[in-house]
């Protein structure tokens, strides 16, 4: 039987878990402390507790506190407690009249979706006042359409704000109007701001246009946005066209093709436009010709995308390739490239020195498609790594990758170049080759990690775990542990190297005595991953189980589990932590159990026992503990179906923040376990939740569930008239996603 299972079973049987309340008692005492700082801290902590009568009474006391900093803390707490704090609406409306608390009170009322016309009147007064900082005016404008005021009162105020000197206020006013107005007026308003000088307002207009009912002018307007001077607007226009579907989008085909063909344009937008073109029906006019043209793009990444798109349209298997941050490694490009003469390669080498950046970029892109046959261009491509033009640099990187390990000697020379950009790119390319680059490259990168500029040393440290095993790599990483600016990268590299970093064991063991808890926590995991152990190490880790740092305790439990020596030691600490008076430590202990499960320290039987025992903590005083238990149960339940009976009740918990968190975790759980349709009835019920945050979250999650959520469309249609602006927006978005998403749930 699993050791951890035995330890937990014995301990839990001896002292069953019970709901904790001492933390609540402590905070309630501190609310009456003479020190305002202590009262403020206590009020902030209240937002993390289940909203019992005692907790809400204490929060009300904070809203009436004599110190403005405490009142602000209490206002922020109400915002985090959502509808559980809706009874404080009168106090929050009153706090709008105080200059010191007005902005925070407006935010809280917006978050609660309450305040009504009284709040609207007060916010309108604040917007008319001069002297408010721009960020405060922005908060007032954001709150205006969200405090539950009547549209007849809100719309004229937002209409006036369209001409506000503050761009952010104008943007908020426009978005609020677009959602509050009927579709026909909203479309007219959207069209009217397509020429606004502020690109964020134009981008918002494009986004909203796609969520209105599609009519004759929708796609032409989005086609106009495809020619907007701002990349952000063009990118959103492409994304919105993707949402609309086809054949409506056929009228935008020439505009999309123009974006794809612009070799000087941003690669991100061009790629999205190309993919949208590729999704068009085969009957769509001229798409095939546009895609064929894109296969000859000067940018090898675009050319590759076009080849893949054409293959899919013809029902063929797309060319295989290895993806990385530079694009694809050149094996695939070399496979599809036609033979190139030595004279052509020489011409491309000369073009890499051209004074015209388009010529240089085109030459590097062509060499990337040539692959190993362009090895002679290696030195010229290395020089191009330092080109001032980003497209040329990226294409040169792809070309060097496509040459393969034949280009390693020239990359080793590049590590000695005077240009730091050249050295930096050479480091990353060698890292992509990894062990294939050989021991000499590994030694060279270790040397760079010791002596180069700081940012290049960081890059080299990140690549070292991929390289051939040489003694200098662990030595270099140990040395980097002594440098504050490099320690994080060194720890990460040591963890990835695992047993290949066994020689670092003594140095990591010594760091367990460090005064910095963060260093100790990182050292514990890195130590365990070396695959080594010793009585001294086990004793020290056992000692650290009593650390005051939850992070240290959590990592030590994980380290002992990895080492296979300490599961019996870890079990008492975990169980003890679940009874800790501080909810933060209880939360940490729950997460430690999840980590132990991920590491394979729990058998199926042990995990099932832990899940049953953790269910008791679903009644904990702290929302964070309950939330972590929900996460733990969805991660550990064996078989997964056993989680549903335990967690169904959480969706109707008293805490609104727990209800929306539970809905989120359960939607992800349903998708992960292949039962996305199982969460739909719960989310439909959540659309009627008294809390607007829960309702908006439910609508958003239904959208993520894709067409499995089709039975929820009638309920979402009703939500289009919800009193909350946010709920209406999410419902509209969800209906659009459900109607266009493929029959799979989305995990983004």
């Amino acid at each position: 039987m699993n050791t951890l299972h035995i330890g937990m079973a014995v301990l839990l049987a001896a002292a069953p878990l019970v709901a904790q309340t001492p933390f609540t008692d402590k905070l309630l005492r501190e609310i009456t402390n003479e020190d305002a700082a202590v009262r403020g801290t206590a009020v902030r902590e209240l937002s993390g507790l289940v909203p019992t009568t005692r907790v809400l009474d204490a929060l009300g006391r904070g809203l009436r506190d004599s110190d403005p900093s405490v009142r602000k803390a209490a206002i922020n707490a109400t915002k985090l407690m959502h509808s559980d704090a809706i009874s404080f609406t009168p106090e929050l409306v009153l706090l709008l009249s105080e200059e010191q608390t007005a902005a925070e009170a407006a935010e809280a009322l917006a978050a609660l979706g309450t305040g009504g016309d009284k709040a609207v009147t007060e916010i309108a007064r604040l917007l008319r006042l001069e002297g408010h900082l721009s960020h405060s005016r922005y908060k007032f404008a954001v709150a205006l359409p969200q405090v539950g005021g009547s549209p007849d009162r809100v719309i004229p105020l937002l209409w006036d704000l369209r001409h506000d000197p503050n761009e952010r206020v104008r943007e908020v006013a426009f978005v609020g109007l677009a959602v509050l107005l009927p579709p026909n007026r909203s479309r007219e308003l959207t069209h009217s701001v397509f020429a606004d000088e502020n690109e964020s307002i134009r981008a918002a207009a494009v986004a909203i246009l796609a969520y209105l009912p599609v009519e004759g002018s929708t796609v032409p307007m989005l086609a106009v946005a495809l020619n907007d001077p701002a990349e952000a607007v063009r990118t959103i226009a492409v994304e919105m066209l993707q949402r609309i579907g086809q054949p409506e989008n056929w009228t935008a085909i020439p505009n999309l093709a123009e974006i794809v063909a612009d070799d000087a344009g941003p690669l991100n937008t061009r790629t999205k436009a190309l993919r949208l073109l590729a999704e068009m029906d085969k009957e769509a006019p001229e798409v095939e010709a546009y895609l064929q043209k894109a296969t000859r793009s000067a940018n090898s990444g675009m050319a590759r995308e076009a080849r893949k798109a054409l293959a899919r349209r013809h029902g063929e298997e797309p060319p295989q390739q290895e993806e990385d941050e530079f694009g694809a490694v050149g094996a695939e490009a070399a496979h599809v490239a036609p033979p190139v003469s030595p004279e052509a390669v020489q011409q491309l080498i000369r073009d890499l020195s051209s004074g015209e950046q388009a010529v240089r970029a085109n030459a590097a892109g062509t060499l990337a498609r040539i692959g190993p046959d362009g090895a002679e261009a290696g030195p010229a491509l290395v020089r191009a790594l330092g080109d001032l033009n980003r497209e040329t640099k990226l294409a040169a990187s792809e070309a060097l990758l496509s040459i393969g390990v034949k280009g390693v000697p020239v990359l080793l020379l590049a590590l000695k170049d005077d240009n730091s950009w050249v050295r930096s790119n050479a480091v990353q390319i060698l890292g992509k080759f990894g062990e294939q680059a050989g021991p000499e490259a590994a030694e060279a990168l270790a040397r760079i990690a010791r002596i180069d500029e700081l940012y290049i040393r960081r890059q080299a440290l990140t690549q070292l775990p991929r390289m051939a095993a040489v003694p200098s790599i662990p030595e270099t990483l140990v040395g980097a542990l002594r440098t504050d600016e490099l320690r994080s990268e060194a720890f990460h590299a040591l963890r990835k190297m695992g047993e290949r970093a066994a020689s670092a064991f003594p140095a990591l063991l010594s760091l367990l005595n460090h005064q910095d808890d963060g260093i100790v926590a990182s050292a514990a995991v890195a130590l365990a991953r070396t695959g080594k152990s010793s009585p001294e190490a086990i004793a020290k880790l056992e000692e650290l189980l009593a650390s005051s740092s939850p992070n240290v305790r959590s990592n030590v439990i994980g380290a002992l589990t990895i080492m296979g020596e300490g599961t019996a030691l870890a079990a008492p600490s975990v169980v003890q932590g679940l009874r800790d008076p501080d909810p933060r430590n209880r939360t940490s202990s729950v997460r430690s159990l999840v980590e132990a499960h991920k590491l394979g320290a729990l058998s199926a039987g042990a995990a099932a026992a832990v899940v049953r025992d953790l269910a008791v903590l679903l009644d904990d005083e702290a929302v964070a503990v309950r939330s972590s238990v929900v996460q733990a149960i969805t991660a550990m339940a064996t078989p997964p179906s056993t989680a549903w009976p335990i967690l169904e009740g959480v969706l109707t918990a008293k805490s609104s923040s727990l209800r929306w968190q539970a809905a989120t975790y359960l939607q992800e759980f349903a998708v992960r376990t292949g039962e996305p349709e199982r969460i739909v009835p719960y989310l439909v019920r959540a659309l009627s939740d008294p809390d607007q945050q829960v309702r908006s979250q439910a609508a958003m999650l239904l959208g993520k569930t894709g067409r499995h959520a089709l039975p929820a469309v009638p309920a979402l249609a009703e939500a289009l008239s919800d009193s909350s602006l946010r709920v209406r927006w999410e419902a509209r978005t969800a209906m659009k996603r459900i109607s266009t998403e493929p029959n799979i749930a989305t995990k983004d």
Side-chain angles (χ1 to χ4, degrees):
M1 192 178 196
N2 184 281
T3 312
L4 184 53
H5 184 196
I6 295 173
M8 290 204 66
V10 171
L11 286 160
L12 289 168
L17 295 175
V18 294
Q20 301 284 325
T21 59
F23 192 67
T24 301
D25 298 335
K26 169 179 172 289
L27 293 181
L28 295 181
R29 289 193 300 271
E30 291 176 349
I31 287 290
T32 59
N33 194 287
E34 293 182 0
D35 188 338
V38 174
R39 299 200 303 277
T41 300
V43 166
R44 279 189 288 273
E45 297 279 9
L46 287 174
S47 63
L49 299 180
V50 175
T52 62
T53 302
R54 292 196 306 158
V55 169
L56 293 176
D57 286 346
L59 185 57
R61 191 178 301 122
L63 290 170
R64 297 185 294 272
D65 196 278
S66 59
D67 190 286
S69 66
V70 178
R71 295 199 297 277
K72 278 189 179 183
I75 292 170
N76 289 327
T78 63
K79 185 169 60 177
L80 295 171
M81 295 179 79
H82 311 295
S83 64
D84 302 321
I86 206 164
S87 60
F88 296 115
T89 299
E91 286 91 336
L92 292 170
V93 172
L94 186 62
L95 288 166
L96 283 172
S97 62
E98 293 186 20
E99 183 177 352
Q100 294 168 305
T101 57
E104 288 77 11
E107 279 189 310
L109 287 165
L112 297 174
T114 186
D117 287 342
K118 286 186 178 179
V120 169
T121 301
E122 192 59 33
I123 291 171
R125 179 188 69 81
L126 291 165
L127 284 166
R128 288 193 296 270
L129 291 177
E130 295 184 3
H132 274 298
L133 296 175
S134 60
H135 69 271
S136 295
R137 285 182 57 75
Y138 173 71
K139 290 179 180 179
F140 298 145
V142 169
L144 190 57
Q146 298 191 62
V147 294
S150 59
D152 291 343
R153 296 284 305 277
V154 174
I155 288 174
L157 294 168
L158 290 173
W159 196 263
D160 291 341
L161 290 177
R162 290 179 308 135
H163 306 294
D164 194 273
N166 186 318
E167 290 183 348
R168 297 176 73 202
V169 171
R170 293 205 309 273
E171 182 181 351
V172 166
F174 162 66
V175 173
L177 284 167
V179 178
L180 287 174
L181 291 170
N184 60 330
R185 288 195 62 198
S186 181
R187 184 176 288 104
E188 291 173 9
L189 173 68
T190 301
H191 290 187
S192 73
V193 299
F194 259 58
D196 194 282
E197 62 184 21
N198 182 2
E199 70 175 65
S200 63
I201 292 180
R202 299 199 303 275
V206 171
I208 288 172
L209 191 62
Y211 286 101
L212 295 172
V214 177
E215 52 123 62
S217 65
T218 301
V219 172
M221 287 302 298
L222 289 173
V224 170
L226 290 174
N227 297 321
D228 194 278
E231 179 190 352
V233 178
R234 297 196 300 272
T235 301
I236 291 177
V238 173
E239 292 172 351
M240 294 305 104
L241 284 166
Q242 286 176 316
R243 291 185 182 276
I244 287 176
Q246 48 182 323
E248 290 89 352
N249 279 337
W250 288 9
T251 57
I253 287 175
N255 307 79
L256 291 166
E258 187 177 336
I259 288 177
V260 172
D262 181 13
D263 279 335
L267 186 59
N268 180 44
T269 305
R270 293 176 64 203
T271 303
K272 288 183 178 180
L274 185 143
R275 288 173 180 169
L276 180 53
L277 271 180
E279 291 168 3
M280 298 285 184
D281 288 338
K282 290 186 178 180
E283 294 78 12
E286 301 183 354
V287 167
E288 193 85 6
Y290 289 132
L291 292 176
Q292 287 286 358
K293 183 179 178 181
T295 63
R296 300 187 292 275
S297 170
N299 182 284
S300 58
M302 284 298 296
R304 221 173 8 253
E305 283 288 339
R307 288 194 294 272
K308 289 194 295 184
L310 281 169
R312 291 194 185 97
R313 285 175 72 83
H314 297 155
E316 301 169 1
E317 192 69 24
Q320 296 299 310
Q321 62 200 37
E322 178 187 343
E323 297 289 346
D324 61 64
E325 65 196 77
F326 297 113
V329 171
E332 176 265 329
H335 175 70
V336 299
V340 178
S341 67
E343 292 78 12
V345 172
Q346 289 301 319
Q347 181 57 52
L348 291 170
I349 292 173
R350 288 191 291 273
D351 286 348
L352 285 173
S353 301
S354 170
E356 298 182 27
Q357 71 175 40
V359 174
R360 299 195 304 275
N362 183 66
T366 302
L367 285 164
R369 292 193 292 276
I370 292 172
D373 290 342
E376 191 177 350
L381 288 168
V382 163
R383 288 192 296 273
L385 292 177
D387 198 284
L388 296 177
N389 176 254
R390 182 173 181 272
E391 291 283 341
T392 303
K393 277 190 291 194
L394 289 175
S397 296
E398 289 186 14
L400 286 163
L401 283 164
S402 74
I403 290 171
V405 293
K406 288 171 63 175
V408 168
V410 74
L411 288 168
L412 293 178
L413 290 175
L415 294 178
K416 301 175 182 177
D417 197 279
D418 291 338
N419 188 319
S420 61
W421 282 105
V422 172
R423 299 197 304 277
S424 171
N425 282 302
V427 164
Q428 294 181 70
I429 295 170
L430 285 168
K432 300 301 175 187
F433 290 134
E435 293 186 18
Q436 294 180 2
E440 186 180 356
E443 294 282 5
L445 283 192
R447 177 177 174 276
I448 286 288
R450 293 193 298 269
I451 65 171
D452 213 310
E453 295 179 39
L454 188 62
Y455 84 96
I456 298 179
R457 293 174 69 188
R458 285 195 178 111
Q459 291 173 340
L461 288 170
T462 302
Q463 303 299 339
L464 286 179
R466 302 179 178 183
M467 308 307 291
V470 293
S472 61
I473 289 181
E475 294 170 6
T476 299
L477 294 174
V478 168
L481 290 174
R482 295 190 285 269
T483 306
D484 291 344
E485 295 85 356
L486 300 174
R487 189 176 293 118
S488 175
E489 288 81 3
F491 272 132
H492 181 72
L494 285 165
R495 288 196 298 272
K496 289 187 71 174
M497 287 188 68
E499 295 183 8
R500 292 184 299 147
S503 61
F505 184 86
L508 292 168
L509 179 57
S510 67
L511 286 176
L512 295 181
N513 296 306
H514 203 281
Q515 294 180 342
D516 187 315
D517 286 339
I519 293 175
V520 173
S522 297
V525 176
L527 179 84
R529 293 197 183 279
T530 63
K532 294 187 68 176
S533 182
S534 71
E536 181 186 359
I538 296 299
K540 183 61 184 176
L541 289 170
E542 182 181 9
E543 178 186 325
L544 289 170
L545 286 170
S547 168
S548 60
S549 165
N551 189 33
V552 170
R553 294 199 303 274
S554 175
N555 281 22
V556 166
I557 290 168
L560 288 167
T561 304
I562 294 169
M563 295 168 77
E565 300 281 352
T567 50
L569 300 173
S573 176
V574 173
V575 177
Q576 183 179 350
L578 293 174
R579 298 189 183 85
D580 195 291
D582 190 325
R584 289 164 293 198
N585 292 343
R586 297 200 294 277
T587 302
S588 175
S589 295
V590 173
R591 290 174 179 164
S592 295
L593 279 172
V594 175
E595 186 63 26
H597 176 65
K598 288 179 181 177
L599 293 170
L602 293 174
S603 65
V610 170
V611 165
R612 289 193 298 272
D613 295 322
L614 285 178
V616 176
L617 290 178
L618 288 172
D619 294 323
D620 195 273
E621 63 176 341
V623 173
V625 176
R626 295 189 186 193
S627 177
S628 65
V629 169
V630 173
Q631 283 183 290
I633 291 174
T634 56
M636 300 168 67
T638 307
S641 58
T642 59
W644 287 98
I646 300 173
L647 296 176
E648 285 175 346
V650 184
L651 293 168
T652 56
K654 184 173 183 180
S655 166
S656 60
S657 60
L658 181 59
R659 291 199 300 277
W660 75 258
Q661 288 177 35
T664 303
Y665 297 143
L666 282 171
Q667 191 272 346
E668 294 171 354
F669 177 62
V671 170
R672 192 172 67 246
T673 56
E675 297 182 293
E677 66 284 345
R678 189 161 186 173
I679 191 64
V680 173
Y682 298 103
L683 295 177
V684 168
R685 286 200 292 273
L687 288 173
S688 302
D689 194 278
D691 188 284
Q692 66 165 356
Q693 175 90 355
V694 177
R695 298 197 302 277
S696 64
Q697 186 76 356
M700 186 270 288
L701 292 171
L702 284 166
K704 287 183 69 174
T705 308
R707 291 193 180 180
H708 291 287
L710 278 171
V713 168
L716 286 167
E718 288 186 27
L720 293 175
S721 57
D722 193 279
S723 61
S724 165
L725 184 75
R726 187 181 309 169
V727 175
R728 294 200 296 276
W729 176 264
E730 290 293 355
R732 184 183 297 176
T733 304
M735 291 180 71
K736 199 76 178 179
R737 291 189 76 174
I738 291 169
S739 65
T740 58
E741 288 287 334
N743 197 27
I744 56 171
T746 59
K747 300 179 183 180
D748 53 27

